[in-house]
Amino acid sequence: MSLKKILVCLDADPQPSVFDGVVAVDAGVDVLFRHGAVTTAQVRDLVYGAIFTRGPQELKHTAVFVGGSDVTAAEALCKAAHEAFFGPMRVSVMLDANGANTTAAAAVLAVRRHVPLSGAIVTVLAGTGAVGRRVVRLLAREGARVRVASRKLTHAEGTCDKVSRVVPGADLTAWTNENAMAVEGAQAVIACGPPGVELLPKGYLAQAVGLQAAIDLNAVPAHGLGDVAPTDKATHHGEIVCYGAIGVGGTKMKIHKAAIAKLFTRNDLVLDAEEIYAIGKEL
Amino acid sequence: MSLKKILVCLDADPQPSVFDGVVAVDAGVDVLFRHGAVTTAQVRDLVYGAIFTRGPQELKHTAVFVGGSDVTAAEALCKAAHEAFFGPMRVSVMLDANGANTTAAAAVLAVRRHVPLSGAIVTVLAGTGAVGRRVVRLLAREGARVRVASRKLTHAEGTCDKVSRVVPGADLTAWTNENAMAVEGAQAVIACGPPGVELLPKGYLAQAVGLQAAIDLNAVPAHGLGDVAPTDKATHHGEIVCYGAIGVGGTKMKIHKAAIAKLFTRNDLVLDAEEIYAIGKEL
Amino acid sequence: MSLKKILVCLDADPQPSVFDGVVAVDAGVDVLFRHGAVTTAQVRDLVYGAIFTRGPQELKHTAVFVGGSDVTAAEALCKAAHEAFFGPMRVSVMLDANGANTTAAAAVLAVRRHVPLSGAIVTVLAGTGAVGRRVVRLLAREGARVRVASRKLTHAEGTCDKVSRVVPGADLTAWTNENAMAVEGAQAVIACGPPGVELLPKGYLAQAVGLQAAIDLNAVPAHGLGDVAPTDKATHHGEIVCYGAIGVGGTKMKIHKAAIAKLFTRNDLVLDAEEIYAIGKEL
């Protein structure tokens, strides 16, 4: 008899995420241990329970998922989980708080379907948040020339700085969201702003010479890109192929499920932005 | 492969109900997401997790159950869940905090087995609590002439008022529990008082001319009706057929399980008192 | 269709134990209801949910496990669970907070493989903690002459006193850990000290004339017995057969799973130290 696949879900929010739970069930997980209001101090004992209960050959049937709405808190939980591992005593871990990794992967994959990324100029509006930073990282690793735009130039510069350290040789420049020139000459634009905040008004994209693809990850009006509807999915508006949040959502869900399934193939996987993007490329 | 049936259990109590969990498992639910200490502010995100994870044709495989011991708190959670739905993006919802709906349905069905409800005079003692109000509502919809009794006449009047608004043309009159006349001339009496509180002493019912059925929902001595034992189940005491809390319990459990099973037949059901009673009638 | 096996896990810690959860899944439990931060005041309603939902013949398919890191808190939860039962309305209960019962059983069984317990002198170092007290109890019931050692003689005397009351005629004497004589003349020694506290330094055991078996339940250096490695499993160091914490762990896990499985054979089992040890003897 094969062991049941157990996913330990760690969530800093008071209530563990129903979203992540349903996706895990649909990805084939047999048993969920859902934990809410998890603090970093509690992680060690929870992880010990995962690594000290099954034999070394069986540990791939247990995995940890770190979710919740707060990406920073989730990163701290993830770090605490890794600190509890030692030698072969570990289980695979996936981080997808607020859907940041799966969303970033789906957004970059949407662009990639239409624009060869290597050498392309891609503008990431609101590129300093949890999703934006991951989009920038993924684009940089693909060899794109990334314009990181934020409300404040110093924030954009900070993100360029951080990503440069993990992606040596990355071609990154800092811009402000409001600077219309940020999209000028770019082949693609990805808007990662928060719900309800318009970053570029309707009618703007048609004037951007050479723009081939536009992605807006904001599903709640006002939309980030006034020219893109949430349901756009490889929809052409003039010369530009567009994806809205819902249009990207199908790919995001497929990536999420594939990543969960992959967790149970080994006991030493760490699924963060790059690994999750790689899973998306193989779909 | 069919999707697993997921029930999201929302509970305002610190610990989610074991009772509701076991019944859900026995009703065929595959996976339970049990949430305790749920606040109305948390409901939207939990519901979003239920409605944004499966396709429109698949949403009937996810449902929400609102339980817990506090019926008022549960009603607020229920309302918050409905406010999070929009258009076809919804899942079926059942409310049965404190077992109020299934208990009320079972009590009225017990009377209905022996007394045609339309036009019958039925007295509901302690008719202003969570169970009592539902019993009054169900009886009123069946066309019974309902005497709503409470410790305070003003409370009884308040319940008559509220039920009249949702059941236009209902024949309701307010009484006090202590008024022995409340049962005089009634064909049935249902006692909905709290555990340990006697409403009518032993020996009383035999004197009530014309009384055919007596139901007592209080399982803990002193019983609500001194003449009815908790295990009475269609038991005759003289002319009167009697049901105690345990005698009604079997029907209550069957209704509860049937209602849970029904949740997963559509994605837009709202199972409150009337719908749950209708399910009971079909058993 | 057979009913699903439901295990209600009650845990005084803020997060319910992942360890106990995984073991339960691997022991064949179908559904876990995992509760954290459980207070004694909450136990009654949780237990009512377990005993009032299935028929008398079906109650053996529901059970309660009391775990967590705090053994004293767990004992209080256990007591509250038993107080909620009445007559045949009960489910089987297992107590294994902090692994105390399964660890104590595995330790005594390790000695028993090599030393006939009846009449044997066995020293229990740090014999006054949750594990130590249980080891003393099990040894006393097997007819061993037990030396209960603690940092403070009064603590050791207290444990002798308590165990004497539950095991009439037990042969118990109080010692201090530091007293090298505590091991002198003993056939076996079991060290039950906390992680990182050395009780007898390396080189000591070889000088103890007649010592046949040494068990150290502390896996974290400094070890309780300097001469025993955590991975020792019936390993001979000179004349002495040794078991470390990891060496005992395999038996402990087998006992834990067998005990969980046994819970579902009846609805009236109480699995505490003695019953869990008896299960271990039959493996």
Side-chain angles (χ1 to χ4, degrees):
Chain A
M1 192 195 68
S2 171
L3 286 179
K4 284 190 178 171
K5 282 182 266 186
I6 298 177
L7 187 65
V8 180
C9 299
L10 306 182
D11 209 312
D13 295 333
Q15 299 290 348
S17 163
V18 166
F19 187 101
D20 294 334
V22 175
V23 176
V25 167
D26 288 347
V29 171
D30 295 310
V31 180
L32 290 173
F33 290 173
R34 304 167 70 237
H35 293 261
V38 178
T39 64
T40 51
Q42 294 169 343
V43 169
R44 200 193 58 174
D45 281 353
L46 295 170
V47 167
Y48 279 0
I51 64 180
F52 289 141
T53 35
R54 291 172 157 185
Q57 305 308 317
E58 303 168 339
L59 281 178
K60 68 176 179 181
H61 300 294
T62 309
V64 169
F65 179 91
V66 184
S69 64
D70 182 337
V71 180
T72 305
E75 288 172 334
L77 295 182
C78 232
K79 185 162 170 283
H82 287 293
E83 287 168 359
F85 297 154
F86 56 97
M89 303 307 283
R90 58 183 63 242
V91 297
S92 291
V93 178
M94 174 173 173
L95 172 70
D96 198 34
N98 213 14
N101 279 329
T102 49
T103 302
V108 175
L109 285 168
V111 173
R112 187 174 171 270
R113 269 179 219 124
H114 307 282
V115 180
L117 292 173
S118 181
I121 298 174
V122 183
T123 302
V124 183
L125 297 172
T128 57
V131 174
R133 284 200 314 270
R134 285 166 163 80
V135 166
V136 170
R137 243 161 75 186
L138 297 177
L139 289 168
R141 289 198 197 271
E142 289 281 22
R145 299 157 66 193
V146 189
R147 294 177 181 171
V148 182
S150 179
R151 274 172 310 159
K152 296 200 177 183
L153 191 64
T154 51
H155 291 184
E157 288 169 344
T159 294
C160 290
D161 229 49
K162 281 183 199 160
V163 175
S164 291
R165 263 175 265 151
V166 294
V167 189
D171 183 340
L172 308 170
T173 49
W175 298 69
T176 58
N177 287 336
E178 287 75 17
N179 187 337
M181 298 298 290
V183 183
E184 207 58 53
Q187 278 87 63
V189 58
I190 303 177
C192 307
V197 176
E198 181 173 85
L199 298 169
L200 290 180
K202 195 167 174 60
Y204 186 88
L205 291 187
Q207 305 168 13
V209 177
L211 191 68
Q212 299 169 42
I215 318 286
D216 185 5
L217 298 175
N218 166 11
V220 179
H223 300 127
L225 302 177
D227 292 304
V228 179
T231 52
D232 280 351
K233 188 174 178 180
T235 308
H236 277 80
H237 293 307
E239 304 289 304
I240 307 169
V241 64
C242 295
Y243 289 81
I246 296 170
V248 166
T251 302
K252 178 205 175 306
M253 289 297 277
K254 275 184 206 156
I255 295 172
H256 191 155
K257 286 182 200 169
I260 295 283
K262 184 147 190 175
L263 282 175
F264 295 94
T265 59
R266 303 174 55 102
N267 78 318
D268 59 358
L269 295 173
V270 178
L271 303 188
D272 204 333
E274 285 76 6
E275 297 82 6
I276 289 170
Y277 175 67
I279 289 168
K281 277 169 106 169
E282 287 169 15
L283 290 181
Chain B
M1 190 194 69
S2 171
L3 286 179
K4 285 189 179 171
K5 282 182 265 186
I6 299 177
L7 188 65
V8 180
C9 298
L10 305 183
D11 209 314
D13 295 333
Q15 299 290 348
S17 162
V18 167
F19 187 101
D20 295 332
V22 175
V23 176
V25 168
D26 288 347
V29 171
D30 295 309
V31 180
L32 289 174
F33 289 173
R34 303 168 70 237
H35 292 261
V38 178
T39 64
T40 51
Q42 295 169 342
V43 169
R44 200 193 58 174
D45 280 353
L46 296 170
V47 167
Y48 278 2
I51 65 180
F52 289 143
T53 35
R54 291 172 156 185
Q57 305 308 318
E58 303 168 340
L59 281 178
K60 68 177 180 181
H61 299 294
T62 308
V64 169
F65 178 92
V66 183
S69 64
D70 181 338
V71 180
T72 306
E75 287 172 334
L77 295 181
C78 234
K79 184 161 171 285
H82 288 293
E83 286 169 359
F85 296 154
F86 56 97
M89 304 306 284
R90 59 183 63 242
V91 297
S92 291
V93 178
M94 173 172 173
L95 172 70
D96 199 33
N98 213 14
N101 279 329
T102 49
T103 301
V108 175
L109 284 168
V111 174
R112 186 173 171 270
R113 270 182 219 122
H114 307 281
V115 180
L117 292 174
S118 181
I121 299 174
V122 182
T123 302
V124 183
L125 298 171
T128 57
V131 174
R133 283 200 314 270
R134 286 166 164 79
V135 165
V136 171
R137 242 161 75 187
L138 298 177
L139 289 169
R141 288 197 197 274
E142 290 281 22
R145 299 158 66 193
V146 189
R147 294 177 182 172
V148 182
S150 178
R151 274 173 308 159
K152 295 200 178 183
L153 191 65
T154 51
H155 290 185
E157 288 169 344
T159 294
C160 289
D161 228 49
K162 282 183 198 158
V163 174
S164 291
R165 263 174 268 151
V166 295
V167 188
D171 183 341
L172 308 170
T173 49
W175 298 69
T176 59
N177 286 337
E178 286 76 17
N179 187 337
M181 297 298 291
V183 184
E184 208 57 54
Q187 278 86 63
V189 58
I190 304 178
C192 306
V197 176
E198 180 173 88
L199 298 170
L200 290 182
K202 194 168 175 58
Y204 185 87
L205 291 187
Q207 306 168 15
V209 177
L211 191 68
Q212 299 168 41
I215 318 286
D216 185 5
L217 299 175
N218 166 11
V220 179
H223 299 127
L225 303 177
D227 291 304
V228 179
T231 52
D232 280 351
K233 188 176 177 179
T235 307
H236 276 80
H237 293 306
E239 305 288 303
I240 306 168
V241 63
C242 295
Y243 288 81
I246 296 170
V248 166
T251 302
K252 179 205 176 305
M253 289 297 276
K254 274 184 207 155
I255 295 172
H256 191 156
K257 286 182 200 169
I260 295 283
K262 182 146 192 177
L263 282 174
F264 295 94
T265 59
R266 303 174 55 102
N267 79 318
D268 57 359
L269 296 172
V270 178
L271 303 188
D272 205 333
E274 284 77 6
E275 297 81 6
I276 289 170
Y277 175 67
I279 289 168
K281 277 169 107 170
E282 287 168 16
L283 290 181
Chain C
M1 192 194 67
S2 170
L3 286 180
K4 285 189 178 172
K5 281 182 265 187
I6 299 177
L7 188 64
V8 180
C9 299
L10 305 183
D11 208 312
D13 295 333
Q15 299 290 347
S17 163
V18 167
F19 188 101
D20 295 333
V22 175
V23 175
V25 168
D26 288 348
V29 171
D30 294 308
V31 180
L32 290 173
F33 289 173
R34 303 167 70 235
H35 291 261
V38 179
T39 64
T40 50
Q42 295 169 343
V43 169
R44 199 193 58 173
D45 281 352
L46 296 169
V47 167
Y48 279 0
I51 64 180
F52 289 143
T53 36
R54 292 173 155 183
Q57 305 308 317
E58 303 169 339
L59 280 178
K60 68 178 180 181
H61 300 293
T62 308
V64 169
F65 179 92
V66 183
S69 63
D70 182 338
V71 179
T72 306
E75 287 171 335
L77 295 182
C78 233
K79 185 162 170 285
H82 287 293
E83 285 168 0
F85 296 155
F86 56 97
M89 303 306 283
R90 57 183 64 243
V91 296
S92 290
V93 178
M94 173 173 173
L95 171 69
D96 199 32
N98 214 14
N101 279 329
T102 49
T103 301
V108 175
L109 285 168
V111 174
R112 186 173 172 271
R113 270 181 219 121
H114 307 282
V115 180
L117 292 173
S118 181
I121 299 174
V122 183
T123 302
V124 183
L125 298 172
T128 57
V131 174
R133 283 201 313 269
R134 285 166 163 79
V135 166
V136 170
R137 242 161 75 186
L138 297 177
L139 289 168
R141 289 197 196 274
E142 289 281 22
R145 299 158 65 193
V146 190
R147 295 177 181 172
V148 183
S150 179
R151 275 171 309 159
K152 295 199 178 182
L153 191 65
T154 51
H155 291 185
E157 289 168 344
T159 293
C160 290
D161 229 49
K162 281 183 199 160
V163 174
S164 290
R165 262 174 267 152
V166 294
V167 188
D171 184 340
L172 308 170
T173 49
W175 299 69
T176 58
N177 287 336
E178 287 76 17
N179 187 337
M181 297 298 291
V183 184
E184 207 59 54
Q187 279 88 62
V189 58
I190 303 177
C192 307
V197 176
E198 181 173 85
L199 298 170
L200 290 181
K202 194 168 175 59
Y204 185 88
L205 292 188
Q207 305 168 14
V209 176
L211 191 68
Q212 299 169 40
I215 318 286
D216 185 6
L217 298 175
N218 165 11
V220 179
H223 300 127
L225 302 177
D227 291 302
V228 179
T231 52
D232 280 352
K233 187 174 178 180
T235 309
H236 277 81
H237 293 307
E239 304 288 304
I240 307 169
V241 62
C242 295
Y243 288 82
I246 297 171
V248 166
T251 301
K252 177 204 176 305
M253 290 296 278
K254 274 184 207 156
I255 295 172
H256 190 155
K257 286 182 200 171
I260 294 282
K262 183 146 190 176
L263 282 175
F264 296 94
T265 60
R266 304 174 53 101
N267 79 320
D268 59 358
L269 295 172
V270 178
L271 303 188
D272 204 334
E274 284 77 5
E275 297 81 7
I276 289 170
Y277 175 68
I279 289 169
K281 277 168 107 170
E282 287 168 15
L283 290 181

